[in-house]
Structures are given as structure tokens and as C-alpha cells.
Amino acid sequence: MQLDKIPQIKHTDSGNFFLLAGPCAIEGEDMALRIAETIVGITDKLQIPYIFKGSFKKANRSRIDSFTGIGDEKALKILRKVSETFGVPTVTDIHEPEDATLAAEYVDVLQIPAFLVRQTDLVIAAAETGKVVNLKKGQFMSPESMKHAVTKVQDCNNEQVMVTDRGTMFGYQDMIVDFRGIPTMRQFAPTVLDVTHSLQQPNQSSGVTGGRPDMIETIARAGIATGADGIFIETHFDPANAKSDGANMLDIQYLERLLSNLTAIRKTINSF
């Protein structure tokens, strides 16, 4: 993947990691624009290439009464407005092959969720749009096995593909990041560490996923130190009242300090 080929992406010559960040789900226009404005200001200051992230729908929910979205096209139009307002690329996840064509009209990067990364029809549909494809490593997959997912995209004449690690299941209710996987997957494609999802505690008896946001900086620092090309962070102004994944999201008030620290680590790594 060539980062500088992503439409509207900035600071690609800074030597910094790139960032995919935003709310878990698009809850409304005001919240999306407010979060985007804050992150754009921070990433411009720190010279971080930035892609705004927001799910236009949440198909993988524990309970039938969990929030799934505000309407597909309504949310996608908000993603387009974020891009047009702040001049940044956007990414959203898709869940069915028909989502690929729809979402590709509005966003620059199509993300394949971890649970679905072995779904060949879905991966091919994303690849055939010509958009950048972000493949999330399944919680049940080895880093080595992601080579085959990457090859599916490349076999569709699309070289714009990246891989994202979001942890591996440890027992029933915890996630562990095996940092040995980052250099392994970098052999196949640029590799991102999804910090916040790596700290999920899924399968809770309440049907609401838990998390360890207190460990976000620890995991993020380790990801940069082990060579991750990019960092993925879900963030919100009020995580406790977010409609999806609030338990493991970063309160946006802490984002600038975190990214400043990661930028300092990256500069040190680059000096070796």
C-alpha cells in the first residue's frame, strides 16, 4: 500500500506513524464533526497522517437491543461531510458484499471486521471497488495466516491493502496482543495496531462488552516500539455514554498527550 495515494491524506513525508481514529459508530452529525475537528487539529500539529474512522452501522452486536446505527445512508453522508469539511480521508467497516459498493461512494478506505476477514466474497467485493482495504486480523487467526487475506485483495489487482491487529482471544473474556505479530504481518502489508479493540473484554454475562482503557497508552507505546506503521484508536467526548464500545474507548481529552508521546517514541525509533 502507498499511503500517499489515499485521497486527501496529509503529512505523509513526516516520518510519523499514520492514525485511524474516531468514534466507534456514527451517532449523529454534530458529534462526528466535533470529534473530527479535534483530531484534525491535533494531527496537524503533530504532523500525523490521519484517516477519520466511524462505523456507518454496527452489525456485530451482543444483544438485539444494542445500538446498530442511525441509518446507513444517513451515516455515510455524515462521513462524506467530515471528509469535505476537514479535507481528510475516511474509513468505515462493511459487513456484507453489497455494503462495499454502497460505502465506496462515500469513503476512501473499506474495513473488513475481524470476525469476517475470512469471508472471501466480502474481501473480494471490497477489493474490486479499487478503494484501500483494511483487513482486521481475526481474533482466532495467527499473524502468518493474514498473508492469505492480503493475497485475496492483491489477486483482485488491488495493491492498496493494509492489515490491522486487534488482539487475540485469551480464554473467553479477554484479548491479548502478541507483538511478535507486527513484524510478521509487515512482511505482507503495512500493519496497524488497533489499540482500543485490543483492550476489549468481550462475552460478558451482561451482554455489554467491557474494556481496559487504562492500558491504552501502554499498548500503543509497545505497538510503536515494535514497528507498527499505523495506530487505530476509537475516541469519544463521553465514552461512558457512547452508544457502542464505550468501555474501551479513549476519552478524547487524553488524545493529544497520547499522540505526542507516541510521536516522540516514533522519532526515537526512526533514529536507529
Side-chain angles (χ1 to χ4, degrees):
M1 185 189 77
Q2 293 180 266
L3 190 65
D4 59 4
K5 286 191 174 181
I6 299 176
Q8 301 193 89
I9 197 159
K10 302 176 180 68
H11 313 304
T12 56
D13 59 353
S14 66
N16 217 339
F17 58 89
F18 63 92
L19 176 70
L20 293 82
C24 178
I26 299 297
E27 300 171 11
E29 183 176 303
D30 289 345
M31 66 83 72
L33 292 172
R34 185 181 172 205
I35 290 172
E37 182 177 27
T38 299
I39 303 175
V40 167
I42 296 168
T43 53
D44 281 347
K45 178 180 178 181
L46 297 173
Q47 299 284 288
I48 298 172
Y50 173 52
I51 303 168
F52 177 85
K53 183 270 168 184
S55 296
F56 77 96
K57 68 178 175 182
K58 302 299 295 182
N60 173 29
R61 303 285 83 192
S62 297
R63 302 185 339 194
I64 197 168
D65 60 346
S66 297
F67 175 78
T68 57
I70 60 173
D72 294 358
E73 293 219 34
K74 183 177 181 180
L76 287 167
K77 286 178 179 177
I78 291 171
L79 284 164
R80 176 187 281 167
K81 185 165 185 178
V82 166
S83 182
E84 292 173 346
T85 301
F86 300 107
V88 295
T90 54
V91 55
T92 199
D93 34 357
I94 61 173
H95 304 85
E96 301 175 51
E98 53 266 34
D99 288 345
T101 302
L102 173 64
E105 296 180 18
Y106 297 91
V107 303
D108 305 289
V109 182
L110 299 178
Q111 181 168 284
I112 307 298
F115 281 129
L116 301 177
V117 75
R118 291 191 61 179
Q119 297 297 104
T120 300
D121 288 350
L122 179 62
V123 173
I124 289 175
E128 289 182 341
T129 66
K131 297 287 184 175
V132 179
V133 180
N134 182 23
L135 300 166
K136 283 203 160 183
K137 184 183 82 65
Q139 301 94 320
F140 45 87
M141 292 173 67
S142 70
E144 290 81 3
S145 65
M146 286 302 294
K147 177 179 181 179
H148 306 298
V150 170
T151 300
K152 287 178 184 178
V153 177
Q154 294 171 335
D155 284 347
C156 295
N157 297 314
N158 187 342
E159 296 294 326
Q160 287 291 84
V161 56
M162 60 177 126
V163 175
T164 295
D165 195 345
R166 49 88 21 98
T168 300
M169 285 300 299
F170 186 77
Y172 291 115
Q173 295 178 330
D174 207 358
M175 308 291 297
I176 292 293
V177 178
D178 180 354
F179 288 97
R180 298 172 299 177
I182 291 177
T184 296
M185 291 188 291
R186 289 186 77 221
Q187 298 175 66
F188 318 137
T191 300
V192 178
L193 177 60
D194 180 345
V195 178
T196 45
H197 284 106
S198 294
L199 291 166
Q200 278 186 336
Q201 294 176 322
N203 303 321
Q204 300 295 314
S205 59
S206 65
V208 179
T209 296
R212 289 289 308 274
D214 56 301
M215 295 295 292
I216 286 173
E217 182 149 354
T218 299
I219 297 297
R221 286 185 178 201
I224 295 297
T226 49
D229 299 289
I231 294 291
F232 181 111
I233 295 174
E234 288 188 340
T235 185
H236 197 284
F237 282 101
D238 186 10
N241 291 301
K243 294 184 178 181
S244 179
D245 275 2
N248 52 271
M249 274 201 278
L250 177 70
D251 190 315
I252 203 165
Q253 68 176 308
Y254 303 120
L255 183 63
E256 182 169 357
R257 185 185 69 187
L258 171 63
L259 295 178
S260 295
N261 291 341
L262 298 183
T263 295
I265 295 171
R266 178 61 178 248
K267 286 179 180 177
T268 301
I269 295 297
N270 287 347
S271 70
F272 291 156

